[in-house]
Every structure is written in structure tokens, then in C-alpha cells.
């Protein structure tokens, strides 16, 4: 079965770029029909969709983050990545990667906490 | 605030049946199916229900989902102490591209 695992720095300085990678195992990221998504959850808060990259390479981002977000894919490593620029303390959150179709957002990675602090 | 509306809290006693509502619009719940997730402290959301009322393997049949129009509900029967968690609804939202929207979450307390 497909599993996802996030990785990246747990601490990022303000104004810098947050970079996370999601490694997919048990299935190919190039297989058709899936949206490879990033979602975040601020401490004690609800879930916020960040964006996704379609298997074809097209992307779509949350309009509220669009100017700062880039999602890319490396099919040779079966990974997709998130870059969020010009971070502030408001970007401190647990970041999840997940696979989806239009009917099911599943599976999810275990999540990784990123703290923005100097 | 969240696109989908859930009550912030719900409660019940062991053995009771509890329902959690999720309200949306014609562009999300009204035209697409709903997922429900259970989140225990410090863990990732766990898929409980997809396609409105389908349970992944391993999810007890105490959990059930339904949808009517632009609203959906999660029902938990035979409430157990380990059901105390946060519950989130999610739905695909139609737009030029489409994307996922979430409810704000419901904290379920087992009294």
C-alpha cells in the first residue's frame, strides 16, 4: 500500500524559505489520476489545504498562499516537494503531504512540525 | 474561517449515539462526496469515511456517514472512550481546477 513520509528542517528563520519533501513508497508518483497535496495545521487549529501537483505536473495553489508557494515533483526519486517563501511565525504548523483523487484524500503522511523562529 | 461548517464541540456518554454535522455549499458538498477524519492528539488525521458513507477496511461499523444536499453527517454509535478525538469533514470543491476544503473540526468528548 502507498505510504507517504514528510522530511525537512523543523526550524526555519523568519523571511527564509521553508522546504519540505514528501517521499512516496509502495506506488509510483507518476501513476495517473492522483493529486499530490500539501496540507498544514496550525497549532491547535484546523486543517488548511496548501496546494497540489497533479501527476501530469500541473499545479494549483491555495489563493491565500499562491504568491509564496511552489510545489514540484521529482519522479526519479518518487518525491514531491513544497517550498514556502518569506515565512513568518504565522507559518508555524504541522505540514502533511497526502495523495488524493476527487473523492478521497488518503493516505496522509505522519506530518512534520515546522517552527518559524529566529 | 473554514469553508465547511462544523460545531466546535460534541459530547456523549459511553454507549450513546452521537452525530456531527458538516455544512457546505453547492460547489463543494452539494456536488462532490465527503470524507470524514478522526484525529487523535499528536497524530495525523485518520480516514474514517469516504464517498459520503464508505468505510476503509479496519474502520468499525460504529462509524457511519450520510449526505443530503449541501450537508453531511458523521454518526458514531456505541460511543467508546477511545472515540474522544477531533473530527474533520472534507470535500472537493469545484472550481477551474478543484481543491479540497475542510471543516473547522469538532472536538468530541466522551463523558
Amino acid at each position: 500500500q502507498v505510504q507517504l513520509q514528510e522530511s525537512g528542517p523543523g526550524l526555519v528563520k523568519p523571511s527564509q524559505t521553508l522546504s519540505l519533501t514528501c517521499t512516496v513508497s509502495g506506488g509510483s508518483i507518476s501513476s495517473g489520476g492522483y493529486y499530490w497535496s500539501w496540507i498544514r495545521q496550525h497549532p491547535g487549529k484546523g486543517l488548511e489545504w496548501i496546494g497540489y501537483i497533479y501527476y501530469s505536473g500541473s499545479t494549483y495553489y491555495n489563493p491565500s498562499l499562491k504568491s509564496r508557494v511552489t510545489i514540484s515533483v521529482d519522479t526519479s526519486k518518487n518525491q514531491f516537494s513544497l517550498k514556502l517563501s518569506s515565512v513568518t511565525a504565522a507559518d508555524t504548523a504541522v505540514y502533511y503531504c497526502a495523495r488524493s483523487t476527487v473523492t478521497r484524500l488518503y493516505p496522509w503522511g505522519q506530518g512534520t512540525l515546522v517552527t518559524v523562529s529566529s | 474561517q473554514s469553508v465547511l461548517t462544523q460545531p466546535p464541540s460534541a459530547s456523549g456518554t459511553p454507549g450513546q449515539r452521537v452525530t456531527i454535522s458538516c455544512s457546505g455549499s453547492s460547489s463543494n458538498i452539494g456536488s462532490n462526496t465527503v470524507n470524514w477524519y478522526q484525529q487523535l492528539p499528536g497524530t495525523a488525521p485518520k480516514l474514517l469515511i469516504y464517498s459520503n458513507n464508505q468505510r476503509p477496511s479496519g474502520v468499525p461499523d460504529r462509524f457511519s456517514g450520510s449526505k443530503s444536499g449541501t450537508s453531511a453527517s458523521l454518526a458514531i454509535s456505541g460511543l467508546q472512550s477511545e472515540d474522544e478525538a477531533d473530527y474533520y469533514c472534507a470535500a472537493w470543491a469545484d472550481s477551474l481546477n478543484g481543491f479540497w476544503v475542510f471543516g473547522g473540526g469538532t472536538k468530541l468528548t466522551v463523558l
Side-chain angles (χ1 to χ4, degrees):
Chain A
Q1 71 201 38
V2 173
Q3 294 183 310
L4 291 80
Q5 176 71 58
E6 306 87 351
S7 60
L11 181 63
V12 180
K13 289 181 166 52
S15 80
Q16 294 191 340
T17 296
L18 177 159
S19 296
L20 296 174
T21 296
C22 182
T23 300
V24 179
S25 59
S28 172
I29 203 168
S30 301
S31 58
Y34 294 111
Y35 300 84
W36 301 94
S37 296
W38 287 97
I39 300 142
R40 70 180 182 179
Q41 185 172 34
H42 295 103
K45 301 295 184 182
L47 301 163
E48 179 183 29
W49 175 77
I50 298 171
Y52 61 66
I53 186 162
Y54 197 41
Y55 78 102
S56 63
S58 61
T59 55
Y60 188 58
Y61 305 133
N62 186 323
S64 68
L65 299 169
K66 182 179 180 179
S67 63
R68 300 193 292 129
V69 172
T70 302
I71 297 175
S72 59
V73 65
D74 185 338
T75 55
S76 67
K77 295 182 179 179
N78 223 32
Q79 296 174 333
F80 64 106
S81 298
L82 168 70
K83 291 188 185 299
L84 181 65
S85 63
S86 304
V87 297
T88 69
D91 294 308
T92 292
V94 175
Y95 287 76
Y96 297 99
C97 58
R99 186 185 76 170
S100 88
T101 61
V102 296
T103 59
R104 185 159 49 167
L105 184 56
Y106 172 84
W108 296 49
Q110 66 184 28
T112 186
L113 174 63
V114 178
T115 301
V116 178
S117 175
S118 56
Chain B
Q1 61 272 26
S2 302
V3 174
L4 306 179
T5 302
Q6 296 179 238
S9 63
S11 63
T13 56
Q16 266 191 332
R17 182 176 187 271
V18 171
T19 61
I20 297 172
S21 62
C22 175
S23 178
S25 69
S26 58
S27 65
N28 43 64
I29 293 178
S31 51
N32 295 293
T33 61
V34 177
N35 289 190
W36 286 94
Y37 297 88
Q38 177 193 61
Q39 187 176 36
L40 298 170
T43 68
K46 170 190 174 183
L47 182 65
L48 286 180
I49 298 288
Y50 68 96
S51 295
N52 303 328
N53 54 18
Q54 301 298 302
R55 284 185 308 275
S57 60
V59 174
D61 59 6
R62 301 188 297 106
F63 295 91
S64 62
S66 64
K67 187 187 101 167
S68 178
T70 59
S71 295
S73 293
L74 172 71
I76 309 171
S77 60
L79 198 62
Q80 300 178 4
S81 59
E82 55 261 40
D83 298 332
E84 185 161 295
D86 294 324
Y87 292 84
Y88 293 90
C89 58
W92 185 261
D94 290 331
S95 71
L96 184 61
N97 296 80
F99 57 98
W100 284 92
V101 293
F102 298 97
T106 298
K107 170 65 178 177
L108 175 63
T109 301
V110 181
L111 302 169

